[in-house]
C-alpha cells in the first residue's frame, strides 16, 4: 500500500471520530440524556463515513486510474477491484 495525499485528511477525520466516540462513552458512563448521546453517535458515524468516502474516492482516482493507464493488471482485474471498492460507498 502506498501513502496518498488524502491520507493525512483521512487520519484527521478518524481522530475526530475517535474523539466523538470517547465523548459518547463518557456520556453513557455518566448516564447523560439519550438525545445528546444519539447526537454524539451521529457525529461518530458522520466522521467515519466521510473518512471512508475520501479513501474510496482516492483509491478510484489514483490507484485504479493508474492501473488502467499503466496496465500492470488486466482490465478484468481492475473492474473487479472497482466493483469491490464501490461496495463501501
Amino acid at each position: 500500500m502506498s501513502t496518498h495525499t488524502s491520507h493525512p485528511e483521512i487520519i484527521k477525520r478518524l481522530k475526530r471520530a475517535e474523539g466523538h466516540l470517547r465523548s459518547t462513552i463518557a456520556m453513557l458512563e455518566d448516564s447523560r440524556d439519550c438525545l445528546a448521546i444519539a447526537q454524539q453517535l451521529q457525529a461518530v458515524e458522520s466522521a467515519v463515513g466521510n473518512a471512508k468516502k475520501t479513501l474510496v474516492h482516492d483509491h478510484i482516482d489514483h490507484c485504479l486510474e493508474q492501473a488502467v493507464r499503466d496496465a500492470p493488471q488486466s482490465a478484468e482485474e481492475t473492474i473487479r477491484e472497482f466493483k469491490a471498492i464501490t461496495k463501501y460507498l
Side-chain angles (χ1 to χ4, degrees):
M1 183 180 119
S2 60
T3 301
H4 299 275
T5 56
S6 67
H7 286 184
E9 179 63 26
I10 293 168
I11 291 168
K12 183 173 135 185
R13 290 174 189 270
L14 291 174
K15 286 184 178 183
R16 185 177 304 135
E18 179 183 34
H20 287 302
L21 188 56
R22 288 182 193 277
S23 294
T24 304
I25 292 167
M27 292 169 76
L28 285 164
E29 291 171 341
D30 295 341
S31 300
R32 296 273 308 273
D33 177 55
C34 290
L35 178 59
I37 294 169
Q39 288 170 334
Q40 277 299 111
L41 286 172
Q42 178 62 36
V44 171
E45 185 178 359
S46 178
V48 171
N50 286 331
K52 178 181 69 170
K53 185 175 169 183
T54 301
L55 179 74
V56 170
H57 286 178
D58 185 61
H59 182 73
I60 291 167
D61 289 344
H62 296 98
C63 300
L64 292 180
E65 187 175 296
Q66 182 178 359
V68 170
R69 223 177 318 117
D70 300 342
Q73 63 188 32
S74 72
E76 292 163 352
E77 172 81 22
T78 302
I79 290 169
R80 270 196 300 277
E81 189 175 336
F82 178 76
K83 287 179 180 179
I85 194 92
T86 57
K87 288 179 190 176
Y88 299 106
L89 287 176

